[in-house]
Amino acid sequence: MGVGGTLEYLSDLMGGSGYHHKNKKKKQLQTVELKVRMDCDGCELKVKKALSSLAGVKSVEINRKQQKVTVTGYVEPNKVLKKAKSTGKKAEIWPYVPYNLVAHPYAAPAYDKKAPPGYVRRVDLAANTATVTRYEDPYITMFSDDNPNACSIM
């Protein structure tokens, strides 16, 4: 048995039919949320029809009031976004998170008056923590108004 035969034999033992399939990943069931600009029933139907035609899509739910489209299936987020944009509508990955998941929800980068109630714009935590890496003296924050657990001296 040559080297090629050995590889095929080992591959068969591991459950594959050949070593050319080992890099292929199986897509996982996931939910992709998009913000898509929709004004009427026609827009909504157009977006729903386009996204439903994607391979692997199990369901498409639309909340026109929030301009939110939720796609569930064995799909890639970038392909779903590209398909939504192909309808001619303005589309982006859902940019909002519940306000209680953001450290400073009313700071300029997070606050968005167009966000649905209870949501703020998603803020990249890595970008914020990189700029605020400084040492704070624990005695200064002990009596700070910014610290809700601080002592107060009257």
Side-chain angles (χ1 to χ4, degrees):
M1 194 181 314
V3 175
T6 306
L7 285 175
E8 287 179 27
Y9 174 72
L10 291 174
S11 179
D12 286 342
L13 284 177
M14 293 171 56
S17 60
Y19 54 88
H20 62 282
H21 290 291
K22 68 181 176 184
N23 290 336
K24 208 170 196 180
K25 284 185 181 178
K26 183 174 175 146
K27 292 179 187 173
Q28 293 182 349
L29 182 67
Q30 60 180 323
T31 301
V32 180
E33 295 178 329
L34 301 174
K35 180 180 180 183
V36 182
R37 177 102 171 120
M38 296 171 287
D39 299 318
C40 62
D41 291 339
C43 297
E44 190 176 319
L45 188 63
K46 186 176 185 179
V47 170
K48 187 168 188 153
K49 188 176 179 182
L51 293 175
S52 297
S53 71
L54 266 175
V57 171
K58 298 293 178 198
S59 70
V60 177
E61 296 173 28
I62 294 180
N63 182 335
R64 192 182 342 150
K65 186 176 180 183
Q66 289 186 339
Q67 305 283 302
K68 184 175 185 178
V69 178
T70 307
V71 179
T72 306
Y74 298 95
V75 292
E76 293 177 26
N78 290 335
K79 288 186 178 179
V80 174
L81 180 60
K82 189 175 179 181
K83 190 69 167 181
K85 285 182 176 180
S86 75
T87 62
K89 304 291 173 205
K90 184 178 177 188
E92 62 179 314
I93 298 291
W94 186 250
Y96 304 120
V97 292
Y99 74 92
N100 58 353
L101 297 181
V102 177
H104 303 287
Y106 298 106
Y111 182 73
D112 185 355
K113 64 182 178 184
K114 294 180 182 176
Y119 287 88
V120 292
R121 191 162 277 284
R122 182 179 291 132
V123 179
D124 186 14
L125 297 176
N128 288 346
T129 54
T131 58
V132 189
T133 47
R134 63 185 161 109
Y135 174 74
E136 286 189 12
D137 189 359
Y139 297 111
I140 293 172
T141 58
M142 188 180 299
F143 299 101
S144 170
D145 291 338
D146 298 333
N147 183 357
N149 300 320
C151 296
S152 61
I153 300 176
M154 301 236 176

